[in-house]
Amino acid sequence: MVHDSTDGPKPPGRKARRGSQSASPPDEAGLASPDLDPATAGADEDDEGRLPDASDEGASDEGSEMIAEGTLGIGHAAIENAVKLAPTSPGVYRMLNAANDVLYVGKAKNVKKRLASYARVNAPLPARILRMIAATVNVEIVSTMTETEALLLEANLIKQLRPRFNVQLRDDKSFPYILLTGDHWAPQILKHRGAQSRPGRYFGPFASAGAVNRTITALQRAFLIRSCTDGFFESRTRPCLLYQIRRCAGPCTREIDFPGYTELVREATEFLSGRSHAVKGLLASEMEKASNEMEFETAAVYRDRLAALSAIQSQQGINPRTVEEADVFAIHQEGGYSCVEVFFFRTGQNWGNRAYFPRAEKTFTPEEVLSSFLAQFYDDKPPPKLILLSHEIEECALLADALAVKAGYKVEVSVPKRGEKKELIAHALTNAREALGRKLADTATQSRLLEGMVTTLGLPHTPKRIEVYDNSHIQGTNAVGAMIVAGPDGFMKNQYRKFNIKSEGITPGDDFAMMREVLERRFKRLLKPPEDDAAEARADDDSFPQWPDLVIIDGGRGQLNAVREIFGNLGLTQVSLMAVAKGPDRDAGRETLFMPDREAIKLEPRDPVLYFIQRLRDEAHRFVIGSHRKLRKKDIREAGLQEIPGIGPSRKRALLHHFGTLKEIERASIADLGKVPGVSAESARKIFEFFHAQPG
């Protein structure tokens, strides 16, 4: 979708009003969707969510005979009391258990009639509904003006409250956009997430940050639009490296005049708005004209720009001819799990796809999962004008009306039966089936590895949460600790944490003291009592605990004993502990495993459990090294090249004049550094080692 910063989706014209007949007054604060900045969420490339728990909270699927008659009677009584006060108008109802947790959020055109269907004692209801009724002790109701408003409110509450008996959309990160800024005479092109408040033109959504980055890089080559910040732009006295490699027109130093740059921006806007054929035709004619006039360098520039545009479209795969703007949803179910594959088409181009694995009980049909998924998916996103579905959902017209109210323009929701749109659905279904197959295979393999750890390491039970810790520093500087987390569904990157070492009394390079600070900061927070009962982690919260079952550290028996002492001081006894020591000459496959009060464990080099432990340790090492390097780069940017011994202002100036930016100096080889006037071979070696020193 292409729009400027003032074209954002508009909320419904009327707010939901509280029904005077509510069985129990709802929490007003619970009705407002938080305005979060998803740019701070997990890794951009982690597009596919993890599979939900297959155990269904330990509940039985056998039927109502597994539910105690007395408990079911209490639930029926609570709902009957709510029916007496329920309105006959549209609204949203919430069913709560004895702990005041929301079990289910539903909407209805006639709330009284809907609740009455739950209150009938002998009604033939699915086991899932009977379990919900049995757990219900209270019902809260919110009246709305229309059924459309009820649908929007229901989706908002499900995303907020995550009731166990609803379909839940998880891994709902925001999508990145391309922004051509409109608050500067020389517009900038950049990737954007979050609120679209900055003036300019927004193009998207793209399925991943990688797709945006590749597109921006190609657009820079094709249209020479600047990507630097306004502050960097204003401070330039000579063109930067991007101008030298023909990825920017150099408006900062007036290498191109205002009309010329404006024309480049117009061409980029035309291309991103879907008029790519016209732009490519214009560039081709200009290239031919320059060639005929014997201006071969100019013709080569146009040739390179055309090649860049072709590269963008070749990376996009399928590009429909008859679909200008649409989202395509296809759902596939297998083994009790669901996968929803989403394709984004804007301006006639494929801007990527993403797989989702919503949490839903096995008794939900594909149509039910897809219907609930769609309402939650567009709760905080502007919908396109066309939504194509693989399955016919029951409330198709109602969903279209709700999205139209939210967006401020007509939205069509349909299930194509023939033609190119049907082919798009078939393509999305194939991707959904393959994505779910991959995820099921990965999950099965992960489960076998975790079970293997129980046998090999003698753990009391299969670990649901494994935490691995590592430290990084160079001679004590920029010391940082890191924690990575793994579970039954693999690495949980949204649970990763880094710890900037803050203690001033630590001797540089004291790994034991750094590990003590990291572990104390991590576990003292968990040991704090919750402020109230509602703050405690719930068992149905994706069944992923906050407490680890196993802690792994990088080191030998000495590190293990040090951590045991730390755990003893904290009173931690329920967490298993293991240290992984590198093999001779740091060879992978020859590691030694240490556990408290046990002999050292040596596994065969090809043992799958050893390989799994190596993966865990290497992931922790990768994460902590990345965190350390970010700190170092920040220090280098702040201190400049003077931090390097023997590099003064003159050599710094010569290096910057030669390479253009600090980043290019960092990338340079020793030979390239030695070519700079005034930089000797010894100075080149020092500069190279400064940027490429390996942290401890």
Side-chain angles (χ1 to χ4, degrees):
M1 180 174 294
V2 183
H3 53 90
D4 60 34
S5 59
T6 62
D7 289 340
K10 297 176 176 57
R14 291 168 292 186
K15 295 183 180 179
R17 57 183 174 85
R18 180 182 298 188
S20 58
Q21 302 94 343
S22 297
S24 180
D27 179 13
E28 282 288 348
L31 301 182
S33 178
D35 184 15
L36 302 177
D37 180 9
T40 61
D44 287 327
E45 297 304 327
D46 190 19
D47 290 339
E48 295 185 2
R50 58 189 180 86
L51 286 174
D53 235 12
S55 60
D56 190 26
E57 322 302 342
S60 171
D61 290 326
E62 296 300 323
S64 59
E65 66 272 12
M66 302 298 293
I67 302 170
E69 184 177 346
T71 307
L72 192 58
I74 293 174
H76 277 131
I79 297 174
E80 285 174 357
N81 289 334
V83 171
K84 298 175 184 177
L85 301 173
T88 57
S89 59
V92 173
Y93 56 92
R94 291 182 279 186
M95 295 185 172
L96 291 79
N97 64 9
N100 212 36
D101 295 325
V102 178
L103 299 171
Y104 181 77
V105 175
K107 66 168 188 326
K109 187 176 182 179
N110 184 324
V111 177
K112 189 180 190 76
K113 185 176 180 180
R114 176 63 58 84
L115 289 178
S117 68
Y118 294 121
R120 289 195 292 269
V121 176
N122 297 320
L125 298 173
R128 167 175 57 87
I129 302 299
L130 292 174
R131 292 197 306 272
M132 179 186 72
I133 294 173
T136 300
V137 298
N138 195 10
V139 180
E140 295 180 348
I141 301 170
V142 177
S143 295
T144 58
M145 298 295 293
T146 65
E147 192 179 5
T148 297
E149 290 183 13
L151 175 63
L152 295 173
L153 179 58
E154 178 198 38
N156 183 282
L157 291 176
I158 291 173
K159 289 188 68 174
Q160 269 191 70
L161 303 174
R162 304 174 70 187
R164 59 176 289 190
F165 288 100
N166 285 98
V167 175
Q168 295 178 19
L169 167 60
R170 309 171 329 146
D171 304 299
D172 187 27
K173 297 176 289 191
S174 73
F175 294 103
Y177 283 73
I178 288 178
L179 168 61
L180 273 173
T181 60
D183 52 2
H184 195 280
W185 74 265
Q188 170 195 7
I189 188 170
L190 71 157
K191 178 178 67 177
H192 180 86
R193 283 186 187 270
Q196 298 179 358
S197 55
R198 184 174 180 181
R201 298 289 301 277
Y202 293 84
F203 303 91
F206 287 79
S208 67
V212 173
N213 293 335
R214 288 191 297 270
T215 302
I216 288 178
T217 299
L219 288 172
Q220 284 180 282
R221 294 201 305 267
F223 300 110
L224 310 179
I225 306 297
R226 73 176 180 100
S227 59
C228 59
T229 63
D230 291 348
F232 184 85
F233 179 92
E234 300 296 343
S235 65
R236 297 301 300 175
T237 58
R238 59 192 297 269
C240 69
L241 182 66
L242 290 178
Y243 173 79
Q244 306 294 338
I245 62 175
R246 295 183 179 179
R247 280 177 54 182
C248 179
C252 54
T253 55
R254 306 304 189 272
E255 306 301 322
I256 185 173
D257 57 13
F258 175 73
Y261 191 78
T262 301
E263 177 62 19
L264 291 176
V265 173
R266 186 195 65 78
E267 291 176 356
T269 304
E270 291 280 307
F271 180 84
L272 288 170
S273 299
R275 292 175 282 277
S276 56
H277 293 295
V279 175
K280 292 178 74 173
L282 177 63
L283 292 178
S285 63
E286 291 292 335
M287 180 181 68
E288 186 176 353
K289 178 182 176 183
S291 178
N292 292 335
E293 294 176 358
M294 310 293 284
E295 296 178 0
F296 297 117
E297 290 188 4
T298 303
V301 171
Y302 285 117
R303 177 202 63 199
D304 295 341
R305 293 178 62 188
L306 277 169
L309 295 182
S310 299
I312 296 175
Q313 294 179 320
S314 66
Q315 293 169 358
Q316 291 170 343
I318 180 173
N319 291 284
R321 299 179 302 277
T322 60
V323 177
E324 180 73 13
E325 175 183 308
D327 286 349
V328 178
F329 294 84
I331 183 169
H332 178 72
Q333 289 186 330
E334 183 179 340
Y337 297 102
S338 301
C339 174
V340 179
E341 189 80 26
V342 189
F343 275 80
F344 305 97
F345 295 96
R346 298 295 185 273
T347 66
Q349 302 174 38
N350 177 10
W351 282 358
N353 60 294
R354 180 180 292 183
Y356 288 87
F357 302 91
R359 181 181 178 187
E361 292 198 16
K362 291 181 285 187
T363 55
F364 279 106
T365 65
E367 292 79 8
E368 290 173 327
V369 174
L370 187 58
S371 178
S372 184
F373 176 91
L374 288 166
Q376 296 177 58
F377 184 83
Y378 288 115
D379 178 60
D380 56 357
K381 301 178 185 68
K385 295 179 181 179
L386 176 63
I387 297 173
L388 302 177
L389 307 180
S390 61
H391 292 67
E392 191 80 51
I393 62 176
E394 183 178 353
E395 298 176 329
C396 189
L398 177 62
L399 178 65
D401 290 342
L403 295 180
V405 170
K406 187 179 181 67
Y409 48 79
K410 183 180 179 181
V411 177
E412 179 186 353
V413 181
S414 67
V415 180
K417 303 299 182 184
R418 64 182 67 85
E420 187 179 44
K421 294 176 182 177
K422 178 67 175 177
E423 294 174 3
L424 295 178
I425 289 292
H427 182 66
L429 272 171
T430 300
N431 279 266
R433 183 169 57 253
E434 293 176 352
L436 183 56
R438 288 193 301 269
K439 194 61 68 174
L440 286 170
D442 291 345
T443 303
T445 302
Q446 191 83 356
S447 299
R448 287 195 297 270
L449 290 171
L450 292 173
E451 292 167 1
M453 292 186 74
V454 174
T455 305
T456 303
L457 305 178
L459 301 178
H461 55 82
T462 303
K464 282 189 174 182
R465 181 186 180 104
I466 301 173
E467 294 182 356
V468 189
Y469 293 86
D470 200 358
N471 298 324
S472 180
H473 62 91
I474 292 181
Q475 297 179 348
T477 62
N478 301 117
V480 62
M483 172 190 81
I484 67 109
V485 182
D489 297 302
F491 293 116
M492 317 302 296
K493 294 190 177 182
N494 63 340
Q495 302 278 326
Y496 287 14
R497 297 292 183 268
K498 69 174 182 178
F499 303 83
N500 294 328
I501 304 301
K502 300 177 180 179
S503 301
E504 297 180 356
I506 293 180
T507 304
D510 189 345
D511 288 331
F512 293 101
M514 286 190 286
M515 183 62 70
R516 181 182 300 110
E517 177 180 336
V518 169
L519 292 174
E520 287 179 350
R521 285 167 59 185
R522 160 64 177 151
F523 287 100
K524 280 183 177 179
R525 188 176 304 161
L526 280 180
L527 289 167
K528 287 183 180 179
E531 295 180 2
D532 50 54
D533 294 338
E536 295 184 7
R538 300 186 330 196
D540 63 324
D541 187 11
D542 287 346
S543 297
F544 194 67
Q546 295 301 310
W547 275 96
D549 301 300
L550 173 65
V551 167
I552 299 176
I553 58 172
D554 188 13
R557 182 73 71 180
Q559 283 85 352
L560 178 72
N561 292 331
V563 174
R564 285 187 72 186
E565 180 182 347
I566 296 169
F567 277 19
N569 295 335
L570 294 173
L572 299 177
T573 58
Q574 73 275 30
V575 179
S576 299
L577 181 62
M578 183 177 70
V580 183
K582 298 179 179 67
D585 301 321
R586 307 175 76 89
D587 284 350
R590 302 173 66 186
E591 287 84 356
T592 304
L593 311 181
F594 296 95
M595 300 190 72
D597 305 322
R598 290 183 57 182
E599 294 292 329
I601 303 172
K602 295 279 288 186
L603 300 180
E604 292 295 325
R606 296 182 181 274
D607 192 305
V609 173
L610 178 60
Y611 175 70
F612 180 53
I613 293 172
Q614 290 171 355
R615 282 179 57 206
L616 294 173
R617 181 202 58 197
D618 293 345
E619 173 67 4
H621 192 63
R622 178 202 66 78
F623 182 62
V624 75
I625 290 296
S627 301
H628 171 85
R629 284 176 175 162
K630 287 180 180 178
L631 286 178
R632 272 179 52 79
K633 287 181 179 179
K634 180 180 178 183
D635 281 356
I636 292 170
R637 285 195 299 270
E638 293 175 352
L641 293 172
Q642 290 93 333
E643 188 178 332
I644 307 175
I647 302 300
S650 298
R651 283 186 177 143
K652 173 187 173 183
R653 193 178 306 111
L655 286 164
L656 289 174
H657 283 174
H658 185 85
F659 291 102
T661 65
L662 192 62
K663 194 173 205 179
E664 293 305 315
I665 298 174
E666 181 184 353
R667 290 175 175 173
S669 65
I670 295 178
D672 291 334
L673 292 166
K675 296 177 182 178
V676 178
V679 176
S680 64
E682 180 63 19
S683 297
R685 184 186 60 78
K686 288 181 179 179
I687 296 168
F688 183 84
E689 290 179 351
F690 175 81
F691 285 110
H692 298 86
Q694 288 297 317

